Amino acid sequence: MPPTAGRLSQDNHSRDSAGLTYVYPVISRRAGGISIGINLNPNNACNWRCIYCQVPDLKRGVAPAIDLIKLEQELRAFLYELLFGNFMLESVPLEARVIKDIALSGNGEPTSAREFEQIIEIIGRTKADFPLPEKLKLVLITNGSLINRVAVQKGLRRMAELNGEVWFKLDSVTQAGHLHINNTQASLQRMRDNLRTAASLCPIWLQTCVFKLNGAHPNKAETDAYICFVRTLLLEGTRIQGVLLYTLARPALQPEATILSKADPDWIEAFADKIRALGIQVKTTA
Ligand code: SF4
């Protein structure tokens, strides 16, 4: 399988850059190398509609039925090419020629795939057949809204055995903010319960996107509520590895794009320091 991507840069996040349905490579700033992406939402469907979402032609919905045979074939063929073919030499800049992780991160919510548990099994057995770095992570980037499903929980349990990590989206912990930013009616209680469940099954990071709306950073009520929410989680013993705090890297592809802009680096660092004061690790990307 010769992937047809040209030389990838950090700006090339196209899910079809290797010409495959489910598997795509990305040079990742966050991971510091090449990340093998698995997109379970080739239909660009998500159960949320975040106002900063960068999925083209995003629509409401869930992942389509996944062709498990094709997914496994693509993953095996891509790993083979990456490890034994010319892809690294021809398409990846010298400084990024290291495989950092396999990431379930696509054009929608990955856990909405009904086959989620089987997909984790496929990744596990495929990983075992290749000479991959021992510490290779398996990352699930999720909005966390479907973690109450038994099949998703089984998948998370298996992920924990595969050096897995869950990146759980937590942009706002106020009902108004959650509704406005993520366009979901899901209750905060459900979010809290799902977060606790995820953390009990697999190591978890909170992923929090901050930005300016009409030129204004999140207000004090929002940031205070966030700090209070995380403090409560920690006090009750929920195991959280840390917080990934980032801002918009690329333009949103939603109607609100014109009123969104990056958070200032100083603001991000000041907010990160407040979170760190709770005794938790924070990684920032300005
Ligand atoms: S959860 Fe992710 S894919 Fe879904 S709308 Fe939000 S940013 Fe887009």
Side-chain angles (χ1 to χ4, degrees):
M1 184 276 309
T4 54
R7 182 171 288 266
L8 291 166
S9 73
Q10 290 187 352
D11 295 328
N12 187 347
H13 289 246
S14 173
R15 312 281 190 223
D16 59 5
S17 56
L20 305 174
T21 301
Y22 299 115
V23 178
Y24 65 97
V26 65
I27 306 297
S28 172
R29 279 190 304 164
R30 61 170 172 76
I34 190 162
S35 176
I36 301 166
I38 298 184
N39 177 19
L40 301 180
N41 304 76
N43 58 351
N44 299 351
C46 187
N47 59 339
W48 286 13
R49 188 191 73 77
C50 304
I51 57 177
Y52 56 79
C53 186
Q54 294 151 357
V55 171
D57 303 318
L58 178 76
K59 53 181 178 283
R60 288 276 187 176
V62 297
I66 304 297
D67 182 340
L68 295 174
I69 294 172
K70 186 175 189 187
L71 188 151
E72 183 162 356
Q73 282 172 344
E74 285 192 1
L75 185 56
R76 285 181 182 275
F78 188 71
L79 282 170
Y80 188 88
E81 175 63 28
L82 212 48
L83 292 166
F84 308 115
N86 293 326
F87 181 76
M88 281 282 200
L89 282 178
E90 291 175 357
S91 301
V92 182
L94 186 62
E95 66 280 8
R97 286 181 195 157
V98 53
I99 306 173
K100 296 303 273 192
D101 62 33
I102 297 176
L104 286 152
S105 161
N107 287 357
E109 174 49 41
T111 61
S112 69
R114 290 279 165 194
E115 304 83 352
F116 184 76
E117 185 188 353
Q118 294 145 278
I119 290 160
I120 303 299
E121 276 307 326
I122 286 172
I123 295 170
R125 68 172 176 252
T126 303
K127 257 182 86 176
D129 287 345
F130 286 87
L132 289 162
E134 203 182 317
K135 299 257 181 233
L136 188 78
K137 287 204 173 298
L138 172 58
V139 178
L140 168 66
I141 300 180
T142 177
N143 63 29
S145 61
L146 302 172
I147 283 171
N148 50 310
R149 289 185 179 173
V150 173
V152 175
Q153 292 172 16
K154 286 183 179 168
L156 295 192
R157 204 169 278 124
R158 180 74 181 110
M159 275 186 66
E161 299 165 356
L162 297 168
N163 206 22
E165 258 179 21
V166 177
W167 293 10
F168 192 110
K169 187 181 289 295
L170 188 73
D171 295 331
S172 169
V173 299
T174 68
Q175 198 67 55
H178 196 40
L179 180 61
H180 186 207
I181 295 172
N182 306 119
N183 276 286
T184 170
Q185 299 283 354
S187 71
L188 294 178
Q189 186 58 47
R190 165 68 68 86
M191 179 168 76
R192 194 179 280 113
D193 290 347
N194 281 354
L195 210 156
R196 288 187 188 119
T197 302
S200 71
L201 298 169
C202 190
I204 180 175
W205 287 77
L206 305 180
Q207 44 150 341
T208 300
C209 182
V210 288
F211 49 86
K212 289 195 263 190
L213 249 179
N214 289 313
H217 287 109
N219 61 29
K220 189 169 181 311
E222 273 290 334
T223 54
D224 283 355
Y226 185 97
I227 295 291
C228 181
F229 184 93
V230 175
R231 182 188 292 119
T232 305
L233 285 173
L234 296 174
L235 285 175
E236 73 186 16
T238 305
R239 279 172 299 152
I240 297 169
Q241 308 300 306
V243 177
L244 307 168
L245 191 63
Y246 64 103
T247 189
L248 311 175
R250 286 163 287 142
L253 293 177
Q254 297 300 304
E256 293 87 349
T258 54
I259 59 169
L260 305 181
S261 54
K262 282 174 174 259
D264 295 340
D266 289 354
W267 189 94
I268 296 173
E269 278 311 317
F271 187 37
D273 284 344
K274 282 188 189 162
I275 305 169
R276 286 186 188 110
L278 301 172
I280 188 171
Q281 188 183 170
V282 181
K283 294 183 188 172
T284 59
T285 312

